[in-house]
């Protein structure tokens, strides 16, 4: 299913303008996105493919593969609308925790049935917002070999579209030293809906769909990069 279309051209015209968790500040959300954009421009050479696939309004659950700590800030800067990220609760300590909460980010306890951030995310989605989730639950190779139920549950509970995003290049290769401005490629996929049936079996089916779509998008990005490495042409993407 294709993404919902919209003619909205600015964040101010989107209903997501107020779709942030309680206690967050819209100005701080913008600051956080500016920080993410700056990190991407200064420390990496980021190329973005298919960003026009991102719906400009309406509820969206963004799902991305996860191979480096920098994935979150980079994506935060690339998503050109207010967004809420589910982040491991260990990051919410001291001044960093204060800033993350004011930016509208939500702490989640991995491996626990933590409904508080999920319900807050549903409220944001029902207000027309965008919530970003790393369905693998933790950093790894980024191949999406597994997925938790959270992203599918959010999409089913809010009637939101699911937008897969693949990211390659943020993970330092094994046994390599520090890299100077490594190239990072980000590919936005096509938004889709998950099965809406009730019950645990339907939730597992929806989770399998999320995992499958995201894993296939990662493989598609890998194929593009492999083809490009042997060709002088190819899709160079959109530089940030």
């Amino acid at each position: 299913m294709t993404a919902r279309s919209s003619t909205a051209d600015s964040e101010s015209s989107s209903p997501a303008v107020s779709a942030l968790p309680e206690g967050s500040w819209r100005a701080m959300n913008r600051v956080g996105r500016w920080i993410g954009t700056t990190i991407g421009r200064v420390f990496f050479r980021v190329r973005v493919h298919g960003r026009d696939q991102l719906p400009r309004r309406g509820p969206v659950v963004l799902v991305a593969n996860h191979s480096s700590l920098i994935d979150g800030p980079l994506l935060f800067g690339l998503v050109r609308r207010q967004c809420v990220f589910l982040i491991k609760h260990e990051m919410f300590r001291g001044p960093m925790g204060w800033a993350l909460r004011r930016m509208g980010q939500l702490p989640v306890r991995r491996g626990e049935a933590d409904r508080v951030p999920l319900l807050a995310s549903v409220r944001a989605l029902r207000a027309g917002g965008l919530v970003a989730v790393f369905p693998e639950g933790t950093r790894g190779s980024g191949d999406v070999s597994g997925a938790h139920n959270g992203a599918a549950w959010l999409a089913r509970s809010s009637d939101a579209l699911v937008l897969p995003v693949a990211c390659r290049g943020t993970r330092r290769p094994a046994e390599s030293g520090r890299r100077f401005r490594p190239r990072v490629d980000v590919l936005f996929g096509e938004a889709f809906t998950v099965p809406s049936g009730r019950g645990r079996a339907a939730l597992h089916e929806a989770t399998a769909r999320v995992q499958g779509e995201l894993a296939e998008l990662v493989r598609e990005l890998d194929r593009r990069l492999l083809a490009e490495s042997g060709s002088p042409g190819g899709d160079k993407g959109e530089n940030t």
Side-chain angles (χ1 to χ4, degrees):
M1 182 174 294
T2 58
R4 297 167 186 167
S5 61
S6 171
T7 58
D9 292 325
S10 67
E11 180 179 285
S12 61
S13 63
S14 167
V17 70
S18 60
L20 292 174
E22 183 178 355
S24 58
W25 301 346
R26 284 178 292 183
M28 281 293 288
N29 192 269
R30 289 193 295 270
V31 168
R33 283 151 48 205
W34 176 83
I35 292 173
T37 301
T38 301
I39 289 174
R41 289 176 175 171
V42 173
F43 298 103
F44 299 90
R45 290 174 292 131
V46 182
R47 301 190 310 176
V48 185
H49 312 260
R51 182 157 38 190
D52 58 343
Q53 298 276 21
L54 172 66
R56 293 182 176 179
R57 61 189 305 167
V60 175
V61 177
L62 185 154
V63 294
N65 61 323
H66 198 20
S67 58
S68 170
L69 187 64
I70 203 65
D71 292 334
L74 278 180
L75 289 176
F76 195 21
L78 291 176
V79 177
R80 293 174 175 172
R81 54 179 281 187
Q82 285 186 353
C83 50
V84 177
F85 274 71
L86 295 180
I87 303 173
K88 63 180 182 179
H89 82 283
E90 292 89 348
M91 299 293 294
F92 287 76
R93 295 172 179 167
M96 174 66 75
W98 179 90
L100 287 173
R101 291 180 188 278
R102 293 297 177 268
M103 290 177 190
Q105 312 314 295
L106 293 169
V108 61
R109 297 180 183 274
R110 295 175 296 183
E112 299 182 21
D114 192 356
R115 294 182 61 84
V116 173
L118 292 178
L119 294 176
S121 298
V122 168
R123 287 192 292 271
L125 289 166
R126 288 177 176 172
L130 183 150
V131 174
V133 182
F134 296 110
E136 295 168 279
T138 187
R139 297 190 301 276
S141 65
D143 293 328
V144 200
S145 58
H148 295 288
N149 293 330
W153 185 88
L154 288 174
R156 280 164 27 109
S157 300
S158 60
D159 193 28
L161 289 170
V162 178
L163 179 73
V165 178
C167 184
R168 286 301 202 193
T170 58
R171 186 180 188 183
R172 182 186 302 178
E175 300 180 358
S176 69
R178 185 177 299 276
R179 301 173 296 166
F180 176 72
R181 297 194 74 233
R183 196 183 80 189
V184 173
D185 284 87
V186 179
L187 174 62
F188 285 76
E190 185 175 343
F192 61 93
T193 58
V194 295
S196 58
R198 296 183 178 274
R200 185 169 295 275
L203 178 59
H204 289 328
E205 180 185 356
T207 298
R209 174 78 189 281
V210 170
Q211 178 185 349
E213 292 280 354
L214 180 55
E216 175 55 32
L217 188 69
V218 173
R219 289 191 291 267
E220 171 62 22
L221 179 56
D222 288 344
R223 287 192 291 265
R224 292 190 185 191
L225 296 178
L226 181 61
E228 183 182 308
S229 67
S231 171
D235 176 17
K236 299 301 182 181
E238 167 195 352
N239 294 322
T240 60

